[in-house]
Amino acid sequence: MTSRDGYNWTPATGLTAGVPSIGVIHPPTNISSSEVLYDVIVVGAGYCGLTAARNAAAEGLKVLLLEGRDRIGGRSWSSNIDGYPFEMGGTWVHWGQSNTWREMTRYQMTSEVERSFDFSYGVNHYELNMGEKGYTMSHEKEDELLISALNKFTNIDGVYGRNTIPLPYSPFHTAAARDLDNLSAQDRINSITPSLSPQERAALESFVLLCSGATLATMSFHEFLHWWAMCGYTYAGCIDMLISWKFKRGQSSFAIRFFTEALATKRLSYAFNTPVAHIHDTGASVEVTTRAGVCYRAARLISTLPLNVLGDVSFDPPLSPGKRAAIATGHVNQCVKVHAEISNKHLRSWTGVAYPHNELMYAIGDGTTPAGNTHVVCFGGDNKHIDPEVDVEATKRAVSNMFAQQKETPQIERLVFHNWSKDEFAKGAWFFPPPGLVSSHLGDLRERHGNVLFANSDWALGWRSFIDGAIEEGTRVAYEVKTELAERERVRSSL
């Protein structure tokens, strides 16, 4: 099946909209009537919504899953082009992300992963292209450069953040951590600039921007430290947990397991291509009206809408002032992620940075396609934003600029991407907050609203913005709904 999401470009076909994915659900609905009273309606079929729907259905609840897209996965899904998966959003997994690994164990998928990096053959080096100057170095020297720069960046307490964020799942356990959320990454870099070499600064800034997909001035320094703490307070931990291991058959091969298990309970109804317009909590139940004007009812509702689109749905009664303030602020990640199939097998062991002059700033050799070409995944931030589908030639130039130190510019055989900034159900990539958002509104975002519960990786406690955080949140709210409805039934039966 082909999703309407995503783009594929080749010299032969030009740019085409929509890419194939095993995450596309057909038929798009199994609902025969809108007159059913459900136990819970789940809005959104990303990992959070899939987890909540599966857990609720497995616990015996009658569940309705509504999704605006034609597919599952939300901001984490994979295409399947000529038998090769290109990850359009969230990609990497690790046993240090305990919720994710628990589910991989559940579905017997712990051996279905492979490394992104392969330094066993080819050019086997790192390129740091700073515009007028460029450097080529071994991966060992790359690591030394980034370790030095990141240690200076994170060493706010003499122990690289360990005292400031000692309990990452309680990010504001210390007053010092809360104070840091008012600083931007630019503020922190300004304070350590005298200690940074030009190469360290370029490597550091591009790495930090890779995490945020924003600008140094608009991203929270504390949120980066939270990622750092979750990775064990080391650069090696960041590389291992954030960008090393991925599914051999793509993220959609994982997400479909959640959906299939929920469907097997015979208690899951679903409707894809069904955006929600209005949510009304009557006190006795929750009524959901779709954009098409169809109304569904349930005892509880779980909204898994991301922060940047939560304001597109109207709520009655209105949401709390704190939640509305968080929605008005939004998160800042407008990352551009472009996959390029390159006709040079030796670039499999290549990594590179082109910063600050290029629209794409960070890239790695991420696989070998069936044609024997190198798959390179490239990232750009909001500092030099591009819309790849608007100007493919500019996108090709940005990809080619990543290889400025190569003797010959590699030939681009294919581009694959999804424009998350223009995606109406995302309005940005993975969550990354501006200064002050999390310390001011994390509690507001997690707070329920009568019979409506809110769950999303955007406000997870641990791996916030990651697949693991989505599963964490889906597990939390499904348990809360199950417990409440079980207690309600116990009270009723005792009367």
Side-chain angles (χ1 to χ4, degrees):
M1 300 292 293
T2 297
S3 173
R4 62 177 176 269
D5 286 344
Y7 291 88
N8 179 41
W9 175 90
T10 69
T13 64
L15 184 69
T16 57
V19 296
S21 174
I22 62 174
V24 177
I25 302 302
H26 186 79
T29 184
N30 66 352
I31 299 173
S32 57
S33 171
S34 62
E35 300 302 317
V36 177
L37 176 62
Y38 295 94
D39 292 313
V40 59
I41 295 172
V42 178
V43 179
Y47 274 107
C48 184
L50 291 174
T51 301
R54 181 205 63 189
N55 288 9
E59 290 286 351
L61 301 185
K62 187 181 296 183
V63 181
L64 171 61
L65 178 64
L66 300 177
E67 168 59 51
R69 308 179 191 275
D70 55 13
R71 59 172 181 80
I72 59 173
R75 290 173 288 182
S76 296
W77 70 289
S78 55
S79 68
N80 195 307
I81 299 174
D82 295 336
Y84 185 86
F86 292 92
E87 297 287 5
M88 311 302 285
T91 301
W92 292 278
V93 296
H94 194 273
W95 47 94
Q97 298 165 348
S98 57
N99 293 289
T100 303
W101 208 258
R102 181 192 67 233
E103 299 295 346
M104 291 170 62
T105 302
R106 178 191 190 111
Y107 295 126
Q108 301 179 39
M109 296 182 70
T110 55
S111 62
E112 295 187 28
V113 295
E114 62 183 3
R115 281 192 176 275
S116 282
F117 300 105
D118 184 354
F119 296 159
S120 63
Y121 69 95
V123 297
N124 198 22
H125 65 230
Y126 166 72
E127 291 182 26
L128 178 59
N129 180 2
M130 300 165 60
E132 294 182 358
K133 293 184 178 180
Y135 305 86
T136 299
M137 63 189 78
S138 68
H139 291 302
E140 291 76 15
K141 291 295 183 182
E142 171 191 6
D143 290 344
E144 290 176 9
L145 181 69
L146 277 160
I147 288 169
S148 176
L150 282 164
N151 282 352
K152 293 173 184 177
F153 186 63
T154 60
N155 195 20
I156 54 175
D157 52 14
V159 287
Y160 310 103
R162 287 178 174 85
N163 288 342
T164 306
I165 308 180
L167 297 170
Y169 276 79
S170 179
F172 302 111
H173 187 74
T174 69
R178 188 172 295 276
D179 292 340
L180 286 178
D181 195 41
N182 293 316
L183 297 179
S184 69
Q186 186 69 69
D187 293 330
R188 176 59 182 170
I189 287 175
N190 289 345
S191 71
I192 63 170
T193 293
S195 70
L196 295 172
S197 70
Q199 295 92 334
E200 284 179 326
R201 182 161 184 171
L204 171 63
E205 290 187 358
S206 59
F207 186 88
V208 170
L209 290 170
L210 171 65
C211 296
S212 74
T215 68
L216 296 170
T218 57
M219 63 175 285
S220 163
F221 173 52
H222 174 272
E223 190 70 2
F224 180 87
L225 279 181
H226 182 248
W227 284 36
W228 178 258
M230 292 296 294
C231 292
Y233 311 91
T234 68
Y235 166 73
C238 287
I239 295 300
D240 199 35
M241 294 192 192
L242 302 183
I243 201 169
S244 287
W245 297 94
K246 61 179 184 174
F247 287 107
K248 295 175 183 177
R249 295 183 295 122
Q251 275 292 339
S252 293
S253 70
F254 184 39
I256 198 68
R257 303 292 186 94
F258 292 71
F259 183 77
T260 302
E261 182 181 352
L263 202 58
T265 67
K266 307 297 184 183
R267 289 184 286 272
L268 177 70
S269 299
Y270 65 86
F272 288 78
N273 302 311
T274 306
V276 167
H278 182 69
I279 296 172
H280 178 208
D281 184 356
T282 68
S285 64
V286 184
E287 297 176 351
V288 179
T289 305
T290 70
R291 289 184 190 173
V294 181
C295 185
Y296 299 100
R297 292 189 306 127
R300 299 288 186 275
L301 181 136
I302 296 171
S303 167
T304 70
L305 298 172
L307 175 60
N308 281 4
V309 299
L310 192 54
D312 292 344
V313 175
S314 63
F315 289 84
D316 181 19
L319 298 177
S320 68
K323 203 178 290 286
R324 295 201 306 270
I327 292 169
T329 302
H331 80 80
V332 295
N333 189 342
Q334 299 298 323
C335 176
V336 177
K337 181 180 183 182
V338 177
H339 298 279
E341 183 176 352
I342 304 293
S343 61
N344 183 339
K345 66 180 181 180
H346 299 293
L347 292 174
R348 183 67 182 90
S349 55
W350 171 94
T351 62
V353 164
Y355 175 84
H357 57 289
N358 198 36
E359 291 89 348
L360 297 171
M361 62 184 178
Y362 195 102
I364 62 171
D366 197 36
T368 301
T369 68
N373 298 320
T374 297
H375 162 214
V376 174
V377 58
C378 310
F379 297 88
D382 200 33
N383 59 321
K384 288 185 177 292
H385 189 76
I386 56 171
D387 292 315
E389 77 282 9
V390 174
D391 193 339
V392 172
E393 291 304 314
T395 304
K396 290 164 60 180
R397 285 195 299 272
V399 171
S400 296
N401 288 342
M402 297 299 306
F403 304 99
Q405 306 303 309
Q406 297 295 312
K407 293 181 180 179
E408 295 183 5
T409 302
Q411 182 175 338
I412 301 172
E413 303 292 345
R414 184 188 302 275
L415 298 176
V416 187
F417 54 87
H418 181 125
N419 192 329
W420 291 106
S421 295
K422 290 187 174 180
D423 183 322
E424 66 169 321
F425 303 119
K427 295 185 178 179
W430 62 90
F431 173 85
F432 208 98
L437 175 64
V438 174
S439 56
S440 298
H441 296 299
L442 182 60
D444 295 319
L445 290 168
R446 296 173 61 81
E447 185 178 42
R448 64 184 296 160
H449 185 61
N451 291 315
V452 179
L453 293 85
F454 295 87
N456 193 279
S457 66
D458 290 8
W459 47 87
L461 294 179
W463 288 98
R464 189 163 42 250
S465 84
F466 290 81
I467 294 163
D468 194 87
I471 298 171
E472 171 199 322
E473 280 286 284
T475 301
R476 172 180 68 86
V477 291
Y479 179 79
E480 189 170 343
V481 168
K482 182 264 295 187
T483 303
E484 285 184 5
L485 296 186
E487 177 61 19
R488 185 186 69 171
E489 189 61 30
R490 186 193 68 79
V491 171
R492 284 179 176 175
S493 62
S494 65
L495 296 177

